[in-house]
Amino acid sequence: MPLPKNEYVSNVWKDGIFANKVVFCTGGAGTICSAQVRALVHLGADACIIGRNAEKTERMAADIATARPGARVLGLGDVDVRKPESLQSAADRCVKELGGIDFVIAGAAGNFLASMAQLSTNAFKSVMDIDVLGSYNTVKATMPYLLESAVKHRTDGKTPPANGTGGRIIFVSATIHYTGAPLQTHVSVAKAGVDALAHAVCIEQGPRGITSNVIAPGPIGSTEGMQRLSRAGSTATQGKGLPSGRWGTVKEIADATVFLFSDAGNYVNGEILVVDGGAWHMPSTGPGQEFQYPDFLLSDAAVTGVKGGKKAKL
Ligand code: HXC
């Protein structure tokens, strides 16, 4: 049974705007990225999503394919963004089976709440490796294909591109590093790196027709991220105290994605599109706030009651 359209994309976009286009997405089985891909597929694209968990990734690909009759969606599991070779094989297979790569979403990420006292060097490195190195590996594996697409779909900003847009990449980041947040050292450092990478891609590849942007989601309800960051993570009705008064929806991130990849986003390059209902302007409502600052930090205790909590060493 296909997911109702209003759960993953708004009605303002024209059907078919991404016809004959292919999106490659890391972390594509996740709650946010799957909505981004589902929206693009609904609007005409074919897709290749990759992930570490084969069963979850294949199941999600089959589900996303229900967004449009005739859609082709590959789900490639056992692919870890930390391993450049497996990522390269996935990108090559995507091109072989679907004909190219026009859009990339670098969405794979790792997160958990932990103070520095609870954060080993390897734990810090794990998140850096997934977020920063994984995003770089994604750029390296897909850039030759994105460049081919950029040549075919270059626009002067006046004439609508005859065959649509292409040669675009979006990195999924966060806002926590703008102000800082307790228990998020590893993710703050990693996401700052992801933002810098997106800007570097814009500067180096922009002259070849690539656009490279960041979407920075705020608290989005019913996502794995919020289950990891908040004890009330699975409740979609949170958000009191935020300027917009609620947590966001995955549809709102998907709409931002459609904008950046569409003809409406041609001249947006090297930009960070924050989609957070104004939340980052209220850092006191960000992740980690449930754990009383600074008392919780001073206790050196491990975080409990959230998904991804630290497992005790046996
Ligand atoms: C402290 C922890 C920990 C915790 C793991 N570690 N969880 N340390 N507190 N809660 C430590 C482990 O003890 C180990 O260090 C090291 O991290 C690696 O752990 P592994 O489990 O071996 O690694 P791996 O299987 O690669 O898992 C990576 C992971 C995991 C990041 C730790 O959480 C993961 O796979 N996450 C992917 C899914 C995910 O996080 N999605 C949420 C994305 S949301 P030692 O020293 O013991 O070897 C998101 C939103 C950001 O990113 C927005 C922010 C506002």
Side-chain angles (χ1 to χ4, degrees):
M1 182 75 164
L3 200 64
K5 180 181 170 185
N6 65 357
E7 290 194 21
Y8 63 87
V9 69
S10 61
N11 262 330
V12 300
W13 313 107
K14 207 159 75 181
D15 280 345
I17 52 173
F18 297 123
N20 305 311
K21 296 294 155 48
V22 175
V23 55
F24 180 88
C25 178
T26 70
T31 29
I32 288 183
C33 292
S34 61
Q36 294 175 287
V37 174
R38 200 184 293 267
L40 300 169
V41 167
H42 179 84
L43 297 171
D46 290 326
C48 176
I49 63 169
I50 67 155
R52 271 186 285 165
N53 182 317
E55 199 259 324
K56 186 179 168 194
T57 307
E58 286 161 19
R59 190 161 21 92
M60 182 58 83
D63 195 57
I64 291 173
T66 64
R68 177 176 52 82
R72 293 181 298 163
V73 182
L74 288 180
L76 305 183
D78 298 316
V79 183
D80 191 325
V81 292
R82 291 170 283 191
K83 298 191 178 133
E85 309 76 27
S86 79
L87 202 48
Q88 189 64 62
S89 308
D92 295 346
R93 190 165 153 205
C94 171
V95 171
K96 200 162 168 222
E97 297 198 23
L98 300 178
I101 296 177
D102 300 286
F103 306 114
V104 171
I105 299 171
N111 200 357
F112 49 82
L113 287 177
S115 66
M116 280 191 225
Q118 296 290 332
L119 193 66
S120 68
T121 300
N122 190 43
F124 182 89
K125 181 177 182 300
S126 298
V127 172
M128 290 296 287
D129 282 354
I130 297 172
D131 291 24
V132 182
L133 197 59
S135 296
Y136 188 67
N137 289 340
T138 304
V139 170
K140 292 292 276 183
T142 59
M143 191 50 67
Y145 300 123
L146 278 182
L147 286 167
E148 280 177 31
S149 175
V151 168
K152 281 192 241 159
H153 302 292
R154 194 131 193 167
T155 167
D156 63 3
K158 291 180 246 168
T159 334
N163 300 309
T165 51
R168 299 190 181 183
I169 182 164
I170 289 171
F171 298 81
V172 182
S173 187
T175 61
I176 43 170
H177 49 298
Y178 303 170
T179 55
L183 312 174
Q184 288 279 267
T185 305
H186 43 318
V187 183
S188 302
V189 176
K191 293 303 195 185
V194 169
D195 292 0
L197 175 60
H199 300 149
V201 172
C202 158
I203 290 166
E204 286 211 1
Q205 306 298 343
R208 297 188 169 97
I210 298 290
T211 74
S212 168
N213 290 291
V214 168
I215 290 178
I220 304 298
S222 304
T223 56
E224 164 136 25
M226 289 314 288
Q227 287 169 12
R228 287 170 174 265
L229 296 176
S230 167
R231 283 179 170 147
S234 56
T235 313
T237 53
Q238 302 295 308
K240 200 164 180 303
L242 301 181
S244 288
R246 61 172 174 84
W247 282 355
T249 64
V250 292
K251 167 178 169 284
E252 288 165 326
I253 306 301
D255 277 330
T257 308
V258 173
F259 163 66
L260 288 173
F261 283 163
S262 76
D263 193 28
N266 290 340
Y267 202 53
V268 183
N269 205 355
E271 195 48 77
I272 298 175
L273 180 49
V274 177
V275 184
D276 76 337
W280 84 265
H281 297 289
M282 302 283 289
S284 59
T285 60
Q289 305 301 333
E290 288 165 71
F291 302 86
Q292 193 67 52
Y293 182 85
D295 304 353
F296 183 81
L297 285 172
L298 294 174
S299 76
D300 285 345
V303 171
T304 57
V306 293
K307 188 167 180 186
K310 187 171 192 174
K311 289 172 192 73
K313 285 247 156 88
L314 297 175

